[in-house]
C-alpha cells in the first residue's frame, strides 16, 4: 500500500521537466524518470499534445499517491502529556483522514528510546517523519540522522535553532513562538481590575511554576510573562520559581508549598502550561483562596479542563496553544516536503498564533 518515495520523485522529476519551475538545488533525488524522456512511436501523437496535459496528469498522480498510502512515522516525546495527547489525536485524525498509514511512538521522555524509534522508522522505510523531540539539545543528532537517511521530516513542539535546522533542507519546524504566549499571560494579569496588585502595595508578587526548563517554551513563557508586566511599568517581585516539568501533580505540590510559605503575599500564580495550572488550582482551593478575588492564576494551552475553569471563574485566563492548527500545519508542511519542496536556511520555522482566552471569549473555544 505504501507509496514509495521513488514514485513521488519520478512524478516530481517529470513535473519539473514540464513546468521548468524547479529550484536549482531541490532535485536531490536522482531524476531516473524513464517514461517521458523518449516516447515510443505509438505515443508520438500523445507527445504532441500540449505539455500542460502531461503536467496535469502527473500532478494528479502526485496528489493521489501522497494522499493515499504514504507511511508516516510520528515520534511523541511522551504520550503521558496532556497537551501532546490533544496534539497527537489531532495529528492522527488528519493523517488517517488523508489516507496515510501512520504509526505513533511514545518516547517515554527518554531520548535514547526515541533515537531507537527514529532509526526503526527509517529502517522500515517510512516516507516521512514527524518528530516531537524529547530533548531540544538532541536536535543536532536527530537532524543528522534524518538527513543521512534522506527522510523528509517535520519537527514539532520543541523548536531547535535556525542554525541547527539549516543542516537539512528537507526539514521544517511547525510550532508557535513561545514569546507570544508569555506576553499574553502577562497581559491577562494587566487586564484585571488591579493589574495584578491585589493588595495595593505597588508591586505584583508572583510565583512562577515552570515547565521543563530545557524547553524553549518554558524559558520564553517565564521571561515574557513577567516582561509584559515590567514593560507596562509595573513593579514585580518573584517569590518563587520552580520547575514543574509540565506536570499537574508537580504544579499542585509547588503551589501547595508556596501557599504554605508565602500565604497572602502571593498575588499571581504563573504556570507555563494548563496542566500545572489545574494542579495549582487544587492547591489554591485547598488553601481557602479564591481565584480572581484574592489571587490570580494563568496557564497556557486551553486544555478542555482549563477552559472549564476559566468559564467557571476559577482561572483568570489561559492562552490557546492551537494543537489543531499546528497539526494541520505539520501535515501541510510534510506534504510539501513529500512533493519535493525544500526549505532555505532561516525559513524553516512555521508559526501558528496563540490566542488569549478569558471568560469573555471562552465559549468560542469550548
Ligand atoms: C505545552 C505543554 C507541553 C509541552 C511539551 C508546550 O508547548 O504548552 O503543555 O507539556 O509543550 O513539550
Amino acid at each position: 500500500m505504501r507509496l514509495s518515495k521513488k514514485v513521488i520523485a519520478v512524478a516530481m522529476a517529470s513535473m519539473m521537466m514540464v513546468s521548468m519551475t524547479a529550484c536549482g538545488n531541490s532535485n536531490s533525488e536522482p531524476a531516473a524518470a524513464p517514461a517521458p524522456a523518449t516516447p515510443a512511436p505509438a505515443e508520438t501523437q500523445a507527445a504532441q499534445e500540449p505539455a500542460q496535459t502531461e503536467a496535469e496528469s502527473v500532478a494528479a498522480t502526485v496528489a493521489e499517491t501522497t494522499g493515499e498510502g504514504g507511511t508516516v512515522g510520528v515520534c511523541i516525546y511522551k504520550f503521558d502529556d496532556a497537551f501532546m495527547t490533544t496534539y497527537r489525536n489531532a495529528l492522527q485524525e488528519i493523517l488517517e483522514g488523508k489516507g496515510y498509514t501512520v504509526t505513533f511512538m511514545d518516547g517515554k521522555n527518554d531520548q535514547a528510546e526515541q533515537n531507537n524509534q527514529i532509526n526503526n522508522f527509517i529502517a522500515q522505510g517510512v516516507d516521512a517523519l514527524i518528530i516531537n523531540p524529547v530533548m531540544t539539545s538532541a536536535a543536532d543528532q536527530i537532524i543528522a540522522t534524518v538527513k543521512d537517511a534522506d527522510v523528509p521530516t517535520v519537527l514539532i513542539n520543541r523548536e531547535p535553532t535556525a542554525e541547527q535546522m539549516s543542516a537539512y533542507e528537507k526539514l521544517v519546524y511547525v510550532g508557535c513562538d513561545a514569546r507570544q504566549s508569555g506576553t499574553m499571560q502577562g497581559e491577562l494579569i494587566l487586564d484585571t481590575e488591579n493589574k495584578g496588585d491585589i493588595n495595593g502595595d505597588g508591586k505584583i508578587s508572583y510565583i512562577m511554576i515552570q515547565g521543563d526548563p530545557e524547553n524553549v517554551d518554558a524559558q520564553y513563557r517565564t521571561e515574557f510573562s513577567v516582561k509584559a508586566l515590567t514593560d507596562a511599568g509595573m513593579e514585580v517581585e518573584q517569590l518563587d520559581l520552580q520547575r514543574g516539568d509540565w506536570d499537574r501533580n508537580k504544579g499542585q505540590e509547588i503551589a501547595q508549598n508556596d501557599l504554605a510559605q508565602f500565604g497572602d503575599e502571593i498575588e499571581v500564580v504563573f504556570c507555563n502550561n494548563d496542566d500545572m495550572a489545574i494542579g495549582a488550582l487544587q492547591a489554591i482551593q485547598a488553601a481557602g483562596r479564591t481565584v480572581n478575588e484574592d489571587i490570580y492564576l494563568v496557564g497556557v494551552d486551553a486544555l478542555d479542563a482549563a477552559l472549564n475553569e476559566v468559564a467557571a471563574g476559577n482561572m483568570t485566563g489561559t492562552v490557546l496553544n492551537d494543537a489543531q492548527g499546528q497539526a494541520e500545519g505539520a501535515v501541510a508542511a510534510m506534504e510539501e516536503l513529500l512533493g519535493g519542496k525544500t526549505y532555505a536556511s532561516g525559513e524553516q520555522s512555521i508559526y501558528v498564533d496563540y490566542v488569549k482566552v478569558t471568560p469573555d471569549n471562552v465559549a468560542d473555544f469550548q
Side-chain angles (χ1 to χ4, degrees):
M1 253 300 267
R2 97 182 168 77
L3 199 234
S4 82
K5 262 180 281 177
K6 276 211 185 72
V7 173
I8 300 172
V10 167
M12 288 310 297
S14 308
M15 276 175 82
M16 287 172 198
M17 278 163 46
V18 172
S19 66
M20 304 295 282
T21 56
C23 309
N25 63 353
S26 66
N27 55 342
S28 53
E29 289 278 349
T38 39
E43 290 171 333
T44 309
Q45 202 182 343
Q48 284 167 349
E49 286 174 12
Q52 218 182 347
T53 309
E54 186 185 353
E56 279 168 7
S57 79
V58 172
T61 312
V62 173
E64 190 184 292
T65 49
T66 55
E68 288 175 21
T71 53
V72 183
V74 184
C75 295
I76 301 295
Y77 95 98
K78 66 169 184 172
F79 279 5
D80 182 18
D81 174 291
F83 173 71
M84 287 314 303
T85 299
T86 309
Y87 197 147
R88 176 160 50 96
N89 291 339
L91 271 177
Q92 183 167 12
E93 199 181 320
I94 297 166
L95 286 165
E96 290 181 354
K98 283 173 164 274
Y100 291 98
T101 303
V102 51
T103 308
F104 287 84
M105 296 304 294
D106 180 358
K108 300 188 183 137
N109 210 19
D110 178 343
Q111 189 60 57
E113 170 115 18
Q114 185 176 68
N115 292 344
N116 287 336
Q117 294 167 351
I118 294 170
N119 287 330
N120 285 340
F121 275 139
I122 290 170
Q124 288 159 20
V126 293
D127 296 311
L129 285 164
I130 297 178
I131 302 175
N132 165 212
V134 174
M135 308 281 293
T136 314
S137 56
D140 283 329
Q141 192 199 337
I142 293 172
I143 294 168
T145 303
V146 297
K147 181 184 179 182
D148 201 40
D150 194 27
V151 182
T153 299
V154 182
L155 298 178
I156 57 169
N157 180 254
R158 294 179 167 191
E159 187 176 11
T161 64
E163 197 191 336
Q164 288 175 312
M165 286 193 281
S166 69
Y168 185 36
E169 62 185 4
K170 296 183 194 171
L171 181 94
V172 181
Y173 172 76
V174 176
C176 301
D177 180 348
R179 286 170 285 213
Q180 191 187 33
S181 53
T183 301
M184 287 180 174
Q185 284 191 296
E187 288 170 357
L188 287 168
I189 298 304
L190 291 170
D191 286 346
T192 62
E193 56 181 325
N194 42 29
K195 297 187 174 179
D197 183 14
I198 294 171
N199 58 20
D201 66 352
K203 60 178 196 265
I204 303 171
S205 303
Y206 68 90
I207 63 166
M208 179 69 67
I209 305 183
Q210 208 180 17
D212 177 352
E214 202 254 358
N215 187 318
V216 76
D217 286 6
Q219 294 161 15
Y220 278 150
R221 288 176 193 164
T222 298
E223 180 185 347
F224 282 77
S225 53
V226 176
K227 185 172 182 300
L229 304 181
T230 53
D231 282 355
M234 303 299 291
E235 212 181 297
V236 296
E237 178 188 27
Q238 180 179 284
L239 297 169
D240 194 20
L241 179 156
Q242 283 200 50
R243 60 184 288 173
D245 294 322
W246 308 117
D247 180 81
R248 181 177 301 201
N249 291 335
K250 290 188 187 173
Q252 190 273 336
E253 274 168 37
I254 293 166
Q256 180 178 303
N257 291 339
D258 283 348
L259 285 161
Q261 186 177 348
F262 301 107
D264 289 348
E265 279 183 75
I266 303 176
E267 296 169 304
V268 174
V269 179
F270 281 115
C271 296
N272 282 174
N273 78 347
D274 278 348
D275 214 26
M276 297 189 295
I278 300 290
L281 177 60
Q282 289 163 2
I284 287 168
Q285 290 176 330
R289 304 283 294 270
T290 308
V291 172
N292 291 338
E293 282 181 26
D294 57 33
I295 195 163
Y296 293 118
L297 172 66
V298 289
V300 175
D301 283 338
L303 296 180
D304 287 345
L307 292 174
N308 290 340
E309 298 299 359
V310 171
N314 295 326
M315 276 178 69
T316 308
T318 184
V319 177
L320 172 72
N321 189 2
D322 186 357
Q324 182 68 27
Q326 289 173 76
E328 283 167 9
V331 174
M334 181 198 80
E335 292 193 317
E336 289 195 328
L337 289 168
L338 281 173
K341 180 167 174 173
T342 56
Y343 286 82
S345 168
E347 291 170 18
Q348 289 171 282
S349 281
I350 298 171
Y351 291 130
V352 174
D353 273 334
Y354 286 104
V355 185
K356 263 186 274 185
V357 183
T358 65
D360 290 341
N361 68 351
V362 67
D364 298 344
F365 301 92
Q366 285 178 306

